[in-house]
Amino acid sequence: MHQLNPFDTNLFPFLNQVLTNPTLDYLMPRITNLHQQKWFLALAILLLLAMAIRGSRKAKVWALCLVLAIGASDLTAARVIKHLVIRERPCNRGDLISTKLNPPQFRLVPREHCPGSKSFPSNHAANMMALATVCWWFTRKPKLTGELNEKRAINPKPLLWFLIPLIVGYSRIYLGYHYPTDVIGGYLLGGIMAGLAILATKSLLPNPEGTNNAEPDVFGTNESVSIK
């Protein structure tokens, strides 16, 4: 059985057993299982189709990059790494189950069931980090024109994309499905796959960096911002 490192043995109980309350017990399963809801899947597919069919060229590349990054991240985690790193989920480890003599070493939210696949890395964390990294990259810069091109404003708003993997990753630990290093490993994998997808698709963008034309927004209108 895969041995736990001190980082997991110290942090996992705190996140899984100490920082708990009924509100999070209600919210975390719904957050982590959102992708299983039919309405959410339909909405995501419709959005990708809208970007691919009705969107600007930037939107088309964005949609392609998302599909490549998340697809590669999910397949690599589930089909490759989990078969190489044989690590049981905390909720599946027999040595962590409580007995009359020993207190429980993990907490499973009532009415929730432990997934059957291996623990490392977290597919959820990997996929959400791939999504956030791609979306950050496509929204990271203001639209500048002409002489303003040299004045690059720092726009912190695109960093909000990274709240998605942070919240989803935390939900996996809270629910007892993953250790912290499973989530961190997923983040690293998702970031790498997103970077590779960006490198593979950035040449398809209509406006390479360094040009003076305003980039079209997602659905094809040109906008620019002025900075003084």
Side-chain angles (χ1 to χ4, degrees):
M1 183 173 290
H2 194 282
Q3 296 298 313
L4 295 181
N5 57 68
F7 181 78
D8 282 329
T9 55
N10 288 307
L11 186 58
F12 174 76
F14 179 71
L15 296 177
N16 174 253
Q17 300 177 56
V18 178
L19 296 182
T20 62
N21 61 65
T23 301
L24 290 178
D25 284 355
Y26 175 83
L27 289 176
M28 289 302 180
R30 286 157 179 79
I31 291 172
T32 208
N33 294 321
L34 191 60
H35 65 293
Q36 297 178 359
Q37 300 297 318
K38 292 180 180 180
W39 67 265
F40 181 81
L41 285 175
L43 183 62
I45 292 171
L46 285 174
L47 180 58
L48 280 175
L49 288 175
M51 292 172 69
I53 297 171
R54 305 281 298 179
S56 64
R57 183 165 181 177
K58 176 181 177 180
K60 290 178 171 63
V61 178
W62 188 349
L64 174 62
C65 195
L66 280 172
V67 171
L68 291 176
I70 296 174
S73 175
D74 192 67
L75 286 173
T76 304
R79 303 297 182 185
V80 179
I81 301 179
K82 286 192 177 186
H83 292 281
L84 296 176
V85 182
I86 309 300
R87 188 186 207 189
E88 295 295 336
R89 295 175 185 267
C91 51
N92 272 335
R93 284 182 58 131
D95 59 328
L96 298 186
I97 297 175
S98 62
T99 65
K100 292 182 179 179
L101 299 178
N102 298 310
Q105 298 182 52
F106 76 93
R107 176 178 181 270
L108 193 63
V109 172
R111 295 180 298 278
E112 293 301 311
H113 303 284
C114 191
S117 61
K118 299 303 179 183
S119 193
F120 185 90
S122 165
N123 276 65
H124 282 69
N127 296 344
M128 292 304 98
M129 181 57 77
L131 180 146
T133 303
V134 169
C135 290
W136 165 79
W137 194 85
F138 276 88
T139 59
R140 76 197 190 286
K141 290 183 178 178
K143 302 178 181 72
L144 301 176
T145 59
E147 68 279 2
L148 301 173
N149 204 34
E150 296 179 359
K151 298 180 181 179
R152 296 280 181 177
I154 297 176
N155 184 7
K157 290 182 181 179
L159 293 175
L160 293 175
W161 287 110
F162 291 102
L163 286 177
I164 299 173
L166 286 176
I167 294 171
V168 172
Y170 175 51
S171 76
R172 305 303 288 175
I173 302 170
Y174 185 93
L175 294 169
Y177 298 164
H178 286 289
Y179 298 105
T181 51
D182 298 334
V183 172
I184 294 171
Y187 289 160
L188 292 174
L189 175 63
I192 290 170
M193 292 304 172
L196 293 175
I198 290 167
L199 287 175
T201 58
K202 64 185 294 187
S203 62
L204 301 175
L205 288 170
N207 252 348
E209 292 186 21
T211 60
N212 293 326
N213 297 323
E215 287 186 356
D217 67 10
V218 172
F219 291 101
T221 60
N222 286 330
E223 294 181 355
S224 64
V225 296
S226 59
I227 301 174
K228 299 182 180 180

